Amino acid sequence: MTHTAEGDAATSVSSTRRGLLGASLAGAALSLVAGRATSASTGERVNAADLELLLFAQSLELAARDLYAAAITAGTDDPLFGFLADQHEAYAQGIASFIGEPANARDDAVYDELEASFTAFDRTSVATAGYDLESAAVATHTELLALLENADGAKVIASMLAMEARHCVVLADMSGRGDDLNVLLVNTADPILPEELS
Amino acid sequence: MSAAEPRATFDRRQLLRTGGLTLSLGAIIAACGEDRAGGTDPGRVGEAPSVTPLPEGTVDDIVLLRTAQSLEHSAIDAYAAARGLDVLSAHQDAIAQRFVDDHTGHSVALGGFITDAGGEEFACANPWVTRRVITPIFDAIDDSDDPLRDVLNVAHALESLAAASYQSLVGSLTLPDLRMKIMQIGADENRHAAALAIAITGAPDGYVSPLLLGETAPEEEPEFPALWAVPSTFGMVSAVELVVGAPNEEGQRFSIDLQTPAANTFVYADQSC
């Protein structure tokens, strides 16, 4: 996991007015569920194992942000992809706010594996790739909930997971599969887990 | 008062004197009393039956899971009532059936989690939600000017409530494994709500709240809450607003805020179907 120049470029793409709005919403939402390092609602400290898990979730969010940003850079400039990049940026910042670590290290392996599918210069293809990514994010965050001991950390992850499940429905519809109830409602994706857990 | 007139029975000085004497005697009698018994409850008048205090309600993982299971059955009952109005098209009815099947599956799964945890499942509707939410909603729809609109909005509101409820339970459940299982179901409810939002609002307008796209909110509040598949950046656990029914003489429709589970909604260990 590294903080790449490409990641910086993608950050500048997503730092729009919407990005600021997303960040402020993230702050507002997290002020309800979490503080920094020690959590606001339970006072429970984040242990080392949980910290690793949350950093991993953060890196996945940054990879997702950069993948949507790459689609926009490649010319598939649907406002929804910019919005989704902002959503994932907000999630990474939300985790950063909770654990007190900056959000600056994306998961390069995930990014490299999926980059080609996001730069297809075709709205439907990118929506399909986005659907697969969001489905994997939901599966991943669901798995993380079983591993996280910190209740407030779990609340942060759950609040992201909830919206990522909704992203799936939007992307299913955008990719022309809105009439297929199984695609709309069922998640068959495998989680993306750190090597030591998979 | 002239000198010839008789004196009044009580003048001000005499009244004070009599009052002082009464208080003094009362204090002496009270001081002399002993071996007095009796409850400290407020006094009772008439022949009302004695009040049985409610048992202490302990909220543990089993209670939270039973509550979640009861909400699944509240949703199933609501879909039955909605479909009974016979306003859904065949396509809409098929989707409703799919949602009912999903909720039934969730209830079965939750029942397993409950028994695994040593509890007794609660495979019926939440009594509080039925009494305070479902019944008033369908009473309001009885004379609706657009029952189909209302039925779709009710379905969306209940799915959104279920989604928010599961998310809210994550912070209360003590075991990570249960948090995971709960949010597996929560993700399904979020998908239901998102699919309904798109069906009701239409695509692409129903995809995302315009506020999240940097647009400004309309100056006037819409008569019915606007619905989007993605209404916020993070999943929220705040109340879900629902408006249904025909306007009354003052132009107001029935409006209710659906709240995630709390003390009165919990299905405690002493409750049974």
Side-chain angles (χ1 to χ4, degrees), chain A residues 10-82:
Chain A
T11 304
S12 68
V13 171
S14 64
S15 294
T16 59
R17 192 160 61 95
R18 272 177 278 139
L20 288 173
L21 178 67
S24 64
L25 280 169
L30 284 162
S31 68
L32 297 175
V33 297
R36 298 171 71 91
T38 41
S39 43
S41 56
T42 66
E44 185 187 352
R45 293 186 71 84
V46 179
N47 65 32
D50 281 357
L51 184 61
E52 282 303 308
L53 294 170
L54 291 165
L55 283 169
F56 168 73
Q58 188 184 56
S59 71
L60 192 60
E61 293 302 331
L62 292 174
R65 175 203 66 187
D66 288 356
L67 285 164
Y68 286 113
I72 295 165
T73 304
T76 317
D77 196 8
D78 190 299
L80 204 93
F81 299 139

Side-chain angles (χ1 to χ4, degrees), chain A residues 67-139:
Chain A
L67 285 164
Y68 286 113
I72 295 165
T73 304
T76 317
D77 196 8
D78 190 299
L80 204 93
F81 299 139
F83 161 74
L84 290 169
D86 292 343
Q87 289 281 93
H88 291 287
E89 165 76 15
Y91 300 150
Q93 295 299 340
I95 294 171
S97 168
F98 179 66
I99 61 178
E101 294 277 346
N104 59 7
R106 80 170 181 216
D107 190 319
D108 284 338
V110 170
Y111 181 87
D112 293 343
E113 188 181 333
L114 301 179
E115 184 186 9
S117 59
F118 275 83
T119 52
F121 195 58
D122 170 336
R123 184 176 180 271
T124 303
S125 299
V126 173
T128 302
Y131 174 87
D132 292 341
L133 173 65
E134 301 288 349
S135 301
V138 170

